[in-house]
Amino acid sequence: MAAPTPLAQAKRQAVIDHILAATRRLVLQHGLDATMDQLAEAGGVSRRTLFRHFETREKLLAAAFEAGITGYRNQLPRYAESGDVHGWLRATCESAHRMNSTIGPGFFELASRTDLSADLQAAEARRRQEFRGAMADITETLWRALGRPGDPPPSLGTTITAHLSPHFTAALTIDAAQGWQAAADLAYRAITADLPPDMVE
């Protein structure tokens, strides 16, 4: 059998990317118990198409979350050397909370349910690892940009991780009835409050 042409491969990948994006949107907003019929309808494809690309519903859900994880760091602003470190930190807080505000029940189910399939457990473990890695990168970048030698203090990493977490966004938007912008502003203030006095604006 002849190998697929580059054009055929590109079309196949475009279909997969479309399915994953539609699945992620539906599940994040409505939860992990979406059926294959609902997922097919959300993607505008047939159940047969879903099963052609994904062996099980759980593998489809896991792949959808994995695709979202991969894009997370790419959407955070990069710090430019000799740039405005506080401006970058503000932009990072805003970007993180803007992204966090688009997620819904599916994310919190993934983070808290104990009955996840092995595929979804692996996706959640990867999400946590990727998120913690992104937070470590932000902490290290901030510390270096402010001209400090050595490793940043663990408390700074903890503050950044807690205040850029989707759970923090949810607390502000649901419990305090504030927008994601309020979460971003409070995160920026909490992070800068944890810096040595001579490093604050």
Side-chain angles (χ1 to χ4, degrees):
M1 184 175 183
T5 66
L7 179 58
Q9 290 174 335
K11 287 181 177 179
R12 181 178 186 278
Q13 190 58 52
V15 170
I16 291 172
D17 291 344
H18 171 77
I19 290 170
L20 294 178
T23 296
R24 191 163 57 253
R25 283 193 301 271
L26 178 71
V27 173
L28 284 176
Q29 291 305 315
H30 299 288
L32 296 178
D33 294 326
T35 66
M36 284 299 261
D37 285 332
Q38 291 169 324
L39 295 170
E41 183 179 353
V45 298
S46 67
R47 278 172 52 97
R48 183 176 178 179
T49 298
L50 292 185
F51 282 115
R52 185 182 309 130
H53 295 290
F54 301 96
E55 190 179 324
T56 65
R57 188 186 75 92
E58 286 69 27
K59 288 188 185 301
L60 169 56
L61 297 184
F65 280 113
E66 287 277 355
I69 291 164
T70 302
Y72 180 80
R73 283 199 211 198
N74 295 334
Q75 296 181 62
L76 292 171
R78 300 199 182 281
Y79 176 71
E81 291 300 328
S82 11
D84 172 10
V85 63
H86 288 281
W88 166 77
L89 181 58
R90 278 189 182 279
T92 298
C93 292
E94 289 170 2
S95 180
H97 286 291
R98 187 184 304 109
M99 285 191 283
N100 292 349
S101 72
T102 66
I103 65 177
F107 169 86
F108 297 104
E109 284 184 49
L110 186 69
S112 63
R113 275 176 56 166
T114 58
D115 62 343
L116 297 176
S117 68
D119 290 315
L120 285 172
Q121 286 179 29
E124 170 56 8
R126 169 114 166 78
R127 181 203 67 79
R128 290 186 187 186
Q129 180 184 36
E130 182 67 14
F131 179 75
R132 289 169 183 160
M135 297 304 103
D137 287 350
I138 291 168
T139 305
E140 180 77 18
T141 298
L142 177 60
W143 194 247
R144 294 282 169 262
L146 291 167
R148 290 298 168 124
D151 294 330
S155 63
L156 180 60
T158 299
T159 298
I160 288 172
T161 301
H163 286 86
L164 298 187
S165 167
H167 298 280
F168 185 77
T169 317
L172 266 288
T173 56
I174 296 170
D175 297 331
Q178 299 290 312
W180 65 261
Q181 298 90 341
D185 182 62
L186 189 54
Y188 174 79
R189 288 189 279 132
I191 293 167
T192 54
D194 203 34
L195 297 173
D198 63 316
M199 299 170 73
V200 180
E201 280 183 306

